């Protein structure tokens, strides 16, 4: 008797089925629509691309949907390769930018679906290994040392994720000619949100490092459960601040791709990293953290809990 297919595997196969149908429809449109051909392939020869893409993308996705794990691997490898090659082509020629965007989305979907098909889950815990593994900070470090190290982290992390990466995305958006244009006044809204979110992030970081005896970095986490400052209203004020900052940078730069980058980061953190972090917090702090989690929401602020009602003052969870 054949063993039942786990729901997660069915979800992975369903994605490959959708990808196969979408790829086939796109190849039907390419020869009949000059616009579709131009924005997704540029000057590339459709016949030459189809020679490889139809079997390795469309057919392989269909076979993966039917249950072939090898086909899922072939499809994912091909999708990643095409995404990289298309990105290089679009960057050099300024053609086929929308093809890059479509293939990047397909590559991400293929990677996630491949994990579901092969592993039955998405191994988010791999992100928290090595230098990013959850470890409490050194208790011997002074409060000033924790605060100083926290601000060093903020400079590096904000510089990369709110500066370098968004500027690269914006430059590629221009180069690939996939800009959509944001409403007038978006930059003003962006700057307002950015300032407010930055203040929230700084305040949260100071509370976390000064009262929690640690930093926001997973490998140097606070040693104390802290419910004070912004943590009285929301469990994840630094995550809220970070997402709002990234989205506001997108508004400031006039880049819809940067806004998508912010939303994608929020989804990754909420679905993949947050459960792992909360499991670690529950293991280390027990009932006080469980009471705190039950009384304070993760993303949406709530009237602050009474002092001491959820345990000692914590890092976000």
């Amino acid at each position: 008797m054949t063993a039942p297919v786990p729901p997660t595997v069915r979800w992975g196969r369903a994605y490959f089925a959708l990808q196969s149908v979408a790829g086939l429809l796109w190849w039907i449109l390419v020869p009949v629509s000059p616009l579709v051909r131009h924005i997704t392939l540029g000057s590339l020869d459709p016949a030459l691309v189809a020679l490889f893409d139809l079997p390795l993308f469309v057919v392989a996705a269909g076979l993966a949907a039917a249950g072939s794990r090898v086909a899922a691997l072939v499809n994912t490898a091909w999708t990643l390769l095409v995404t990289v090659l298309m990105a290089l082509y679009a960057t050099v020629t300024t053609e086929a930018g929308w093809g890059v965007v479509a293939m990047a989305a397909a590559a991400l979907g293929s990677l996630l679906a491949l994990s579901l098909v092969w592993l039955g889950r998405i191994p988010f815990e791999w992100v928290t290994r090595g230098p990013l593994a959850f470890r409490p900070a050194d208790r011997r470090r002074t409060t000033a040392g924790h605060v100083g190290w926290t601000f060093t982290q903020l400079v590096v992390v904000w510089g990369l994720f709110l500066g370098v990466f968004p500027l690269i995305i914006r430059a590629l958006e221009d180069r690939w000619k996939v800009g959509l244009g944001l409403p007038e006044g978006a930059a003003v809204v962006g700057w307002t949100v950015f300032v407010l979110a930055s203040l929230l992030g700084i305040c949260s970081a100071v509370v976390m490092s000064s009262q929690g005896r640690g930093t926001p970095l997973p490998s140097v986490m606070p040693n104390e459960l802290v419910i004070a400052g912004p943590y009285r209203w929301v469990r994840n004020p630094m995550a809220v601040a970070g997402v709002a900052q990234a989205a506001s940078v997108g508004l400031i730069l006039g880049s819809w791709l940067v806004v998508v980058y912010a939303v994608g980061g929020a989804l990754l953190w909420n679905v993949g990293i947050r459960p792992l972090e909360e499991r670690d917090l529950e293991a280390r702090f027990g009932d006080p953290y469980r009471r705190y989690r039950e009384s304070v929401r993760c993303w949406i602020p709530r009237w602050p809990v009474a002092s001491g009602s959820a345990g000692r003052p914590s890092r976000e969870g």
Side-chain angles (χ1 to χ4, degrees):
M1 184 175 179
T2 304
V5 179
T8 51
V9 175
R10 288 201 297 269
W11 277 109
R13 292 181 181 178
Y15 171 80
F16 282 117
L18 177 63
Q19 188 184 75
S20 180
V21 172
L24 181 60
L25 290 175
W26 177 71
W27 275 113
I28 291 174
L29 286 173
V30 166
V32 299
S33 172
L35 176 61
V36 171
R37 184 167 63 251
H38 174 69
I39 66 174
T40 59
L41 287 177
S43 302
L44 294 173
D45 183 357
L48 180 60
V49 177
L51 180 65
F52 296 95
D53 197 65
L54 283 172
L56 297 175
F57 184 80
V58 177
V59 175
L63 293 174
S68 172
R69 297 202 303 171
V70 173
L73 183 61
V74 169
N75 169 275
T76 302
W78 172 251
T79 306
L80 289 170
L81 176 62
V82 170
T83 301
V84 172
L85 294 178
M86 288 292 293
L88 292 173
Y89 174 79
T91 302
V92 172
T93 67
T94 72
E95 295 181 345
W98 287 106
V100 180
V101 173
M103 288 307 301
L108 176 60
S110 291
L111 279 172
L112 297 178
L114 180 69
S115 295
L116 294 177
V117 168
W118 274 84
L119 304 175
R121 62 188 178 84
I122 299 173
F124 289 113
E125 69 275 9
W126 291 359
V127 178
T128 59
R129 291 179 179 175
L132 294 180
F134 294 140
R135 300 186 190 91
D138 186 347
R139 290 178 176 272
R140 295 171 297 179
R141 181 174 288 170
T142 65
T143 298
H146 289 308
V147 173
W149 183 226
T150 294
F151 273 90
T152 300
Q153 292 176 27
L154 288 183
V155 170
V156 174
V157 172
W158 286 8
L160 286 175
F161 290 94
L162 302 178
V164 175
F165 295 160
L167 287 174
I168 292 175
I169 293 172
R170 183 68 176 93
L172 291 175
E173 185 177 310
D174 284 342
R175 185 67 182 172
W176 297 344
K177 300 180 180 178
V178 294
L180 295 177
L182 298 182
E184 186 177 353
V188 175
V189 174
W191 277 113
T192 302
V193 173
F194 184 82
V195 170
L196 294 176
S198 298
L199 290 175
L200 173 62
I202 292 171
C203 179
S204 302
V206 170
V207 171
M208 178 191 296
S209 57
S210 61
Q211 299 196 26
R213 293 196 296 165
T215 78
L217 195 69
S219 59
V220 198
M221 297 188 306
N223 287 279
E224 304 293 339
L225 183 65
V226 180
I227 304 166
Y231 293 93
R232 299 178 65 200
W233 281 272
V234 64
R235 296 204 311 271
N236 301 282
M238 291 200 69
V240 172
V243 172
Q245 285 174 307
S248 65
V249 169
L251 297 179
I252 293 168
L253 297 177
S255 169
W256 71 274
L257 279 181
V258 174
V259 175
V260 171
Y261 155 83
V263 174
L267 290 174
L268 171 63
W269 189 88
N270 189 62
V271 175
I273 307 303
R274 183 171 69 87
L276 301 175
E277 185 182 68
E278 291 189 340
R279 191 183 310 157
D280 174 76
L281 287 166
E282 186 173 2
R284 292 199 294 127
F285 299 121
D287 287 337
Y289 174 72
R290 282 189 283 271
R291 291 194 297 269
Y292 174 58
R293 185 176 58 195
E294 291 169 1
S295 60
V296 179
R297 295 191 184 104
C298 175
W299 290 100
I300 303 174
R302 174 181 288 178
W303 188 257
V305 297
S307 178
S309 64
R312 297 177 63 183
S314 144
R315 80 177 173 110
E316 55 193 305

